[in-house]
Amino acid sequence: QVQLVESGGGSVQAGGSLRLSCAASGVIFSIATMGWYRQAPGKQRELVAVITAGGSTTYEDSVKGRFTISRGDAKFTVYLQMNSLKPEDTAVYYCRVVASIGTYWGQGTQVTVSS
């Protein structure tokens, strides 16, 4: 059983920053990618950023230059540093892990950016 625990969401004003964390635990032999997705009300879930085991990163165009994804020193952890937040970044953010034994999602953490 693999569990993902997310933290770091909250409410900020436009221009502010938040840092999301995700820690995976359980029987995990290896992880291919760890990433963050978000879903705003009435919209489909979309990729925000992903990082591979080798450290390669991919970002959604609207967050490039503002968000940074990184893996922690602890095994199977990933962070999303979000700077210069905009109201359109408001969404539930989900951690996703693609592991050798399957794909797993976190429970989601709310990020609200007010203008």
Side-chain angles (χ1 to χ4, degrees):
Q1 185 76 12
V2 175
Q3 290 187 325
L4 304 183
V5 178
E6 301 157 343
S7 61
S11 297
V12 295
Q13 291 189 328
S17 298
L18 286 172
R19 188 189 194 211
L20 305 183
S21 301
C22 174
S25 62
V27 181
I28 304 171
F29 297 105
S30 65
I31 288 181
T33 66
M34 301 186 77
W36 291 94
Y37 290 69
R38 66 186 178 187
Q39 187 166 18
K43 295 187 177 181
Q44 290 188 331
R45 192 172 297 187
E46 64 175 1
L47 170 71
V48 176
V50 65
I51 186 167
T52 68
S56 297
T57 57
T58 301
Y59 294 93
E60 194 271 328
D61 285 345
S62 70
V63 308
K64 287 178 180 177
R66 300 188 298 122
F67 292 10
T68 303
I69 189 170
S70 61
R71 297 184 71 155
D73 292 334
K75 206 173 183 182
F76 307 139
T77 60
V78 65
Y79 303 102
L80 185 68
Q81 178 66 43
M82 304 185 294
N83 298 327
S84 302
L85 282 161
K86 304 176 180 180
E88 50 264 43
D89 294 318
T90 294
V92 178
Y93 284 70
Y94 297 90
C95 176
R96 188 184 86 151
V97 167
V98 178
S100 56
I101 56 173
T103 298
Y104 301 89
W105 291 89
Q107 79 282 2
T109 184
Q110 178 69 45
V111 171
T112 302
V113 185
S114 58
S115 58

